[in-house]
Each structure stands twice: as C-alpha cells, then as structure tokens.
Amino acid sequence: MTIPNIPLIIDNEKVQSKTSKWVDVLNPANQEVVSRVPFCEISEVDAAVASAKKAYKTWRNMGQGARMRIMLKFQQLVRENTAKLAELITLEHGKTLPDAEGEVGRGLEVIEHACSIVSLQLGEYAENAASGIDVYTLIQPLGVCAGITAFNFPVMLPCFMFPIAVASGNTFVLKPSEQDPSSTLFLVELAHQAGLPPGVLNVVHGGPDVANRLCEHPDIQAVSFIGSTRVGTEIYRRASEHGKRCQAMMGAKNHCVIMPDADKEVALNQLVGAAFGAAGQRCMATSVAVFVGKSKEWIDEFVEKSKLLKVNVGTDRKADLGPLVSPQAKERVKRLIQSGVEEGASLLLDGSDITVEGYENGNFIGPTIFNNVKADMQIYREEIFGPVLCIVSVDTIEEAVEFINANPNGNGVAIFTQDGGTARYFQNNVDVGQIGINIPIPVPVAWFSFTGSRGSKLGVLGPNGKQAIAFWTQTKSITARWSHHERSVNTTISMK
C-alpha cells in the first residue's frame, strides 16, 4: 500500500513540499505508518503568508452576509462529514470513535457561533456626543493571522481559531500538529468547499522552525497557540517580541472537589469519565481528585468503578479509552507512574502494563490511581497527559480551596455538592478561570469564552465567545463633525 504524503495547502491548492525532512504519522494502536508529513521549508511558509496577504485585500471587504453564508455552508459540510472526520481522528490520534465524534461536535459549536458574525462584529454609535459631533467605533479585522495547534484535538482546536478569525475578515495560516494532521487537513478542505476564496485559509506543517517563522513574520498580525506550557511560553515570548498580538492556552492540573453531601453515584461516575476519557489526553481532564471529609470513604468504590473501564483500539465503539498518541507519550507516562511509586504515593490501580489482544504494539495505558499524593511529588507538579489520577484528602472546603490555589495552573476546576452556599463559596474563592459545579470538565459552550487563567494562559483574551471577536479584530474610534456652523479657531478641547 502506498503511504500518502500530507500536502501543504496554499492558495486553496494542495502543494507537495520540497523539503527533505518527512516524519511518519503512526496509528497509535499498532504503530503502522498511515501517512508522512513534511517539515516544510521556510520559503513555503512565506508563500502561504504571501497568499494570505494577497487574499486579505479583497476578503476584508467582502460583505458580512457573504462571509456568514460561507460559514453556514461550512457547518453543514462538517456536520455531514462528522463520521469521516472522526475516523481520521481515531486513525492518527487513537481516541475512541464516540469521543472523536464528540470532538467534531464541539468544533461545530464554534463554527455555528461564527455564523452569527453579522451581529457579533457590530460597533457603537453616539449621535451628538458633543454639539454637532458624532462618535462611533468600527470593529475591523487585523490582517493575516496564524494558529498553532496541539495533537489532542485535531479538529476542535483549529475550530477554536480560524472560523471566527476568517468570519471577521482576516486571512489565516494554520500549522496543525505533525502527529495527526489528516483530520485537520480534511476540515480545511471542507472550508474551501464551503466557498472560502483562494488564500483565505492556508496550511503549513513542521516543527519549531515553522512555528518560529509564523511568530516572526512581519506580515502576520496575531498568533494563537494551544499546547504545552513549555512551547506556549516560547511562542508567546517570540510573538510578543515581534509585535504580534498573541494568546497561548497551555498546561493544566485540574482538580475536582468531592464534598460529602454530593450525590455519590453521580460524582464518582462523572469523575471516572473526566479522569480517564480520551486516555487523559485533554488539557481539561481531571487529574486531581480532592475528597473532603467523609467523602474519602468513597475512594475504594471509585477504584472499583475505574476497573470496569474497557481499554481497546479506538474503532471499538464499546471501548472507554484508546491508546496514547505515541510510544514516547506512553514511556513518559510510565516514567511518571514509577516516580509516584518511588516518592511514596499509594498506587491503588496500576494500568501501566496493560496489553490489548491483537494490538500488542499499541500505546495503551489503563486507568491508574494514586492516593495520598503530596504537592511536592512529581506526579502532582507535572501535567501527566495520561489516564492517571492523583487523590488528595482534606477535612474542609477551605482546605480544598487553599490547596488548589497553591497550584500554579488555573485552567479548570470542579466541585460536586448539593449545597448552594458551598458552591458559591467555592466559585468566589477558588483562583481558577473555568469552574464546574456538578460538571467535571467545565469547558463552556462556544458562545462563551474559554477563560483559563494563571499558569495555564498567556494573553488577556482567550478563544471563543466575545473574547475571540476582540482578539481577532481591532477597534477604531471615529470622532466626526459634519456642521457648517463652526467657523472660529479653538485652542482648547470643547465638548459642549
């Protein structure tokens, strides 16, 4: 079987890179090579930016209604092709098909939000702000923009970026993860089928050199990044130093507080799914459970529920979690599990040596649970990005909040309780950007902004919602006088 080469997309055309560096894209369930992705030449990045710059001259002036209708067609095409997108995600990422279909659904939410651009991109107007003077604002696009995405959501994360950006009148250069690019590429092809003109949305592939060029290119006005803290910090620094507007959504250590008055069955079931779904490869995965007071008596029952999860290849619709994305990811998670044992945490459930019949070469790790975890342990300090849960027990909600606030990250947090006063205390005192009350993974719907905070985010504005419109546009204020009565010289400001 011929292994396909992943193309670049420049000017709506598939372009084979002239690079000599190609990387194999592997099926994480069996290590079979499914495609090859180029680490493209810098000249090819420049060509993509030049295409976007040329397209911007006309795209920015296209009517809002015309752009909206392209977004409407785009969401229709994505909806109709959900199954194919999910299959490509599962093939290269490994997550289960139902999980992949859910990812496409969350991406669709953002595209549907972009369909409202005619009402989202409205300015303000004040007639006679002063005598004969009108003041109004224009919400205009920035120009050429760029997005750099991580492997864990190859459809949803690009949707967090380019739909709102291009609907607002910008043009775009996207660099998806080299680990699972095919679903992203197909998503872009659907956008072109929907009617995006040549050059409005381009795709390049590669590693740090390509990312750095996007951050430094003089014709790029804004850069959005979603990925690890290490890479995001560098992206933000480099882009900012080169005068770009930048947002970087980065690592996390998300806590879930279980109060003793919680509905036990609901809380434990939700915690199982949040901790181990997608094999823990979510920046919003619950990686720390904080059991408060007598709720720690439920830990044994939680472990038994976790043992029931089925680990298998992602195409098995009965599987609860599939493999990790790469052998390197598996080895890193196994090293962290070993560090937890060596540092004295109690290993209640060990999934590090699991094998799946028929897929012995797969990157599988089963649900793993540590109890008696301390804040100075490596398994608590680092984002594991695998199906590993740390358990901490405290006596009061005040101790839980203090423990969570001491962690440098602020992506997401949750609490399970039936007490409104406790929930209100928690939401007002915990220093985390996204809070779930009886919801373990509090990613808001797309018409609200993604509001991770502290060490999980660099930049004031996040993806989605009103913040996304603000990030991908600039506001111009116009003060105008259309009166023929004012003839005198004024040397001071008059606002009569």
Side-chain angles (χ1 to χ4, degrees), residues 58 62 122 143 200 247 256-257 326 335 375 442 444:
T58 53
M62 181 175 284
L122 295 177
V200 171
Q247 59 180 197
C256 181
V257 176
S326 68
R335 286 197 304 271

Side-chain angles (χ1 to χ4, degrees), residues 247-454:
Q247 59 180 197
M249 312 309 294
M250 306 184 298
K253 202 70 179 180
N254 305 312
H255 300 70
C256 181
V257 176
I258 309 294
M259 297 300 295
D261 69 337
D263 184 313
K264 181 177 69 170
E265 190 70 12
V266 170
L268 296 187
N269 285 339
Q270 293 290 306
L271 180 58
V272 169
F276 306 125
Q281 297 176 115
R282 298 187 284 215
C283 68
M284 290 294 292
T286 297
S287 52
V288 184
V290 183
F291 284 84
V292 178
K294 291 185 176 180
S295 71
K296 65 183 178 183
E297 298 172 2
W298 305 345
I299 292 175
D300 289 344
E301 186 175 342
F302 171 73
V303 174
E304 293 305 310
K305 285 179 176 289
S306 302
K307 290 178 181 179
L308 299 176
L309 293 181
K310 181 179 179 181
V311 182
N312 202 353
V313 61
T315 51
D316 177 5
R317 286 192 169 272
K318 294 182 179 180
D320 296 296
L321 58 156
L324 297 179
V325 71
S326 68
Q328 294 80 10
K330 178 179 179 178
E331 287 306 311
R332 178 180 178 275
V333 172
K334 291 182 70 172
R335 286 197 304 271
L336 285 166
I337 292 172
Q338 184 58 35
S339 77
V341 173
E342 293 172 355
E343 292 184 347
S346 304
L347 185 58
L348 303 184
L349 181 62
D350 184 4
S352 59
D353 291 323
I354 192 171
T355 58
V356 174
E357 185 178 355
Y359 297 92
E360 287 77 12
N361 292 326
N363 309 318
F364 296 97
I365 288 185
T368 299
I369 301 171
F370 281 103
N371 196 11
N372 302 315
V373 174
K374 307 299 182 185
D376 59 351
M377 292 180 177
Q378 189 177 11
I379 54 172
Y380 181 76
R381 297 195 317 270
E382 294 191 23
E383 184 177 27
I384 298 174
F385 231 61
V388 180
L389 181 73
C390 300
I391 293 179
V392 175
S393 297
V394 297
D395 293 327
T396 66
I397 183 63
E398 290 81 9
E399 289 179 75
V401 169
E402 182 179 4
F403 182 80
I404 293 166
N405 287 347
N407 189 284
N409 295 292
N411 216 27
V413 69
I415 186 170
F416 280 84
T417 180
Q418 297 189 74
D419 186 301
T422 298
R424 187 175 180 84
Y425 172 85
F426 185 75
Q427 72 181 29
N428 288 337
N429 288 279
V430 73
D431 189 11
V432 176
Q434 298 175 120
I435 300 169
I437 298 174
N438 299 318
I439 293 175
I441 299 181
V443 178
V445 291
W447 47 97
F448 280 77
S449 300
F450 191 95
T451 54
S453 63
R454 294 196 288 148

